[in-house]
């Protein structure tokens, strides 16, 4: 909602394009490109399409392009001579093209299975645009061996997207790493061509640095070192679950291909993913936004996971299958049981938990979501049966269940649990309660509200909101609960009457209080 509010303000000419703001508040997430994309689609799409849906369209395209670019990057890396399997004495090994596409399929499945990708891939957020930029950089560098000029231009575009979407410092770091890999990891190119490509990529970095400086987009959010033990533990836990199931496969892949780490010329299919993973991992440990930063390493982690598959033993793949089967089947059962409790009240404990976590929610029954959930569950059962069957083995076979399990759980959440999730996460209930207390034909001053709250009240309630400093005569005021002490300092107690405190269903700390002026014109 915070990002949508910035896009809405840009689309209606209420904010400067170079420094987006919402009623004077800067974006909670940095960058300008994500808000430009949403604002442009709001302006260009027909009126029958809601602004919310219009703002999602470019992010849907970016999500699909991230998956596609990861596939093409792995396919290009797998075609390099160093990545090919050992030739048999009497032939019969996989053809380079078929082998590369098989590994690309496996890498795509590994990326889909990443737990950390589930939510950002479906959000209208600068995080997704940053992932698009890192995916373009990753694919562009992978294409240097066969399509050097196209690969260099795509890499430069990825760096620009990354820098203009809130991560300019990381874009600079990855750009310098890309220049180093270009110098030592592309022996197929002549020295003259490598120098020309390096100059082009360096020029792109200089132009990006100039734009970021001109628009004042540099932001550093470094953590104080050394980190407390609790922060280190939290970061390690994030590494474990956010990158699952890619990180154990990536570690095994790095060990399996260890003989090519220091071999010259460098093996791009090993050096480039490892270098990108290392750079992003160090950045995630140094910055407060660890989750946002670590997201950018997922395409490279999926690549390393794909290159681990040719060296895995059958016992390891069986362990992955059993763990995945138990984990995602258990998650699916829990989702179904909670949905049954919401609809019927049985079992009583899950129903009581839902009533406690989402007070005021009234469940509704819909046939289409139920049919989709049943079809997805049936497909999961069939897929488990197929995986256990005796048929020709494929390299990507062990990643079918992890990716399908992640997709199944997301499908069940977006069908069976969608009403309660909308009620709990949306600002609509809060906006509706505020709208019932005020006269929509008058202005409403706000104090201490964040961007998401302001955007929700403006869009859902159609209120004429104004900052306190610019609204001396507004008859109503909406104040964040954390700013009540500030209000008491600025206004006399007999000037405002408290009407109601509005709470978000699942965020007890995000409450707003509605006041009515008692002294008109004061």
């Amino acid at each position: 909602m915070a990002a949508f509010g910035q896009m809405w303000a840009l689309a209606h000419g209420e904010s400067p394009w170079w420094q987006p703001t919402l009623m004077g508040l800067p974006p909670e997430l940095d960058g300008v490109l994500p808000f430009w994309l949403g604002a442009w689609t709001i302006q260009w799409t027909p009126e029958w399409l809601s602004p919310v849906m219009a703002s999602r369209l470019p992010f849907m395209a970016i999500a699909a392009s991230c998956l596609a670019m990861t596939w093409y990057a792995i396919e290009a890396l797998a075609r390099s001579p160093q990545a090919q399997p050992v030739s048999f004495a009497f032939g019969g090994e996989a053809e380079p093209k078929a082998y590369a596409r098989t590994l690309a399929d496996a890498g795509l499945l590994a990326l889909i299975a990443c737990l950390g990708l589930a939510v950002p891939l479906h959000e209208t957020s600068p995080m997704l645009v940053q992932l698009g930029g890192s995916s373009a950089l990753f694919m562009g560098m992978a294409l240097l061996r066969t399509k050097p000029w196209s690969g260099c231009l795509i890499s430069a575009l990825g760096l620009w997207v990354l820098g203009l979407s809130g991560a300019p410092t990381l874009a600079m770091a990855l750009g310098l790493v890309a220049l180093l890999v270009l110098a030592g990891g592309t022996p197929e190119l002549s020295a003259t061509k490598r120098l020309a490509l390096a100059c082009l990529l360096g020029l792109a970095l200089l132009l990006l640095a100039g734009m970021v400086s001109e628009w004042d987009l540099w932001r550093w959010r470094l953590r104080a070192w050394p980190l407390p033990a609790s922060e280190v533990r939290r970061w390690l836990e994030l590494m474990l679950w956010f990158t699952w199931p890619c990180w154990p496969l990536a570690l095994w892949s790095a060990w399996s291909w260890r003989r090519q780490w220091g071999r010259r010329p460098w093996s791009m299919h090993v050096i480039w993913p490892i270098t990108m993973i290392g750079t992003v991992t160090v950045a995630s440990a140094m910055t407060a936004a660890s989750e946002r930063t670590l997201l950018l390493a997922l395409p490279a982690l999926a690549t390393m996971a794909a290159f681990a598959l040719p060296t895995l033993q059958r016992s390891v793949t069986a362990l992955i299958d059993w763990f995945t089967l138990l984990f995602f089947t258990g998650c699916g059962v829990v989702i179904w049981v909670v949905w049954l409790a919401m609809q019927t009240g049985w079992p009583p404990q899950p129903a009581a938990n839902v009533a406690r976590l989402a007070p005021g929610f009234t469940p509704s029954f819909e046939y289409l979501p139920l049919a989709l959930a049943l079809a997805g569950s049936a497909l999961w059962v069939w897929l488990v049966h197929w995986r256990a069957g005796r048929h020709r083995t494929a390299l990507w076979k062990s990643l079918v269940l992890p990716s399908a399990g992640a997709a199944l759980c997301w499908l069940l959440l977006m069908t069976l649990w969608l009403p309660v999730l909308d009620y709990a996460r949306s600002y609509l209930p809060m906006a509706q309660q505020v709208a019932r207390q005020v006269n929509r034909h008058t202005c409403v001053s706000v104090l201490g509200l964040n961007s998401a709250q302001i955007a929700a009240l403006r869009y859902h309630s159609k209120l004429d909101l104004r900052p306190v400093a610019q609204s001396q005569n507004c008859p109503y005021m909406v104040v964040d609960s954390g700013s009540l002490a500030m209000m008491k300092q600025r206004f006399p107690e007999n000037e405002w009457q408290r009407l109601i405190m509005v709470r978000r269903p699942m965020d007890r700390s995000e409450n707003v209080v509605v006041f009515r002026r008692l002294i008109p014109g004061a």
Side-chain angles (χ1 to χ4, degrees), residues 396-413:
W396 44 262
K397 188 178 179 183
S398 58
L399 290 172
V400 169
L401 290 184
S403 58
L408 168 69
C409 290
W410 192 258
L411 173 66
L412 295 180
L413 289 175

Side-chain angles (χ1 to χ4, degrees), residues 37 39-40 80 89 123 150 253 258 270 278 316 334 337 365 377 385 436 453 474 481 505 518:
L37 295 175
W40 287 336
S80 62
E123 283 189 337
S150 299
S253 179
R258 63 189 182 278
V270 176
V316 177
V334 168
V337 169
F365 181 83
S377 301
H385 176 74
R436 297 190 191 104
Q453 294 168 338
C474 290
S481 59
L518 294 178

Side-chain angles (χ1 to χ4, degrees), residues 337-399:
V337 169
V338 173
W339 175 82
L340 182 64
M342 287 190 293
Q343 298 293 330
T344 65
W346 184 90
Q349 188 58 46
N353 292 338
V354 173
R356 175 174 54 86
L357 295 174
F361 170 70
T362 302
S364 59
F365 181 83
E366 298 182 15
Y367 287 101
L368 181 59
L370 177 61
L372 293 175
L374 289 173
S377 301
L379 184 60
W380 170 252
V381 174
W382 175 86
L383 198 60
V384 171
H385 176 74
W386 173 87
R387 181 64 183 92
R390 296 179 177 272
H391 47 75
R392 186 175 180 179
T393 303
L395 280 178
W396 44 262
K397 188 178 179 183
S398 58
L399 290 172

Side-chain angles (χ1 to χ4, degrees), residues 505-517:
M506 292 187 67
D507 192 347
R508 302 299 175 86
S509 62
E510 193 170 4
N511 308 319
V512 297
V513 184
V514 183
F515 290 88
R516 182 175 59 194
R517 187 186 295 272

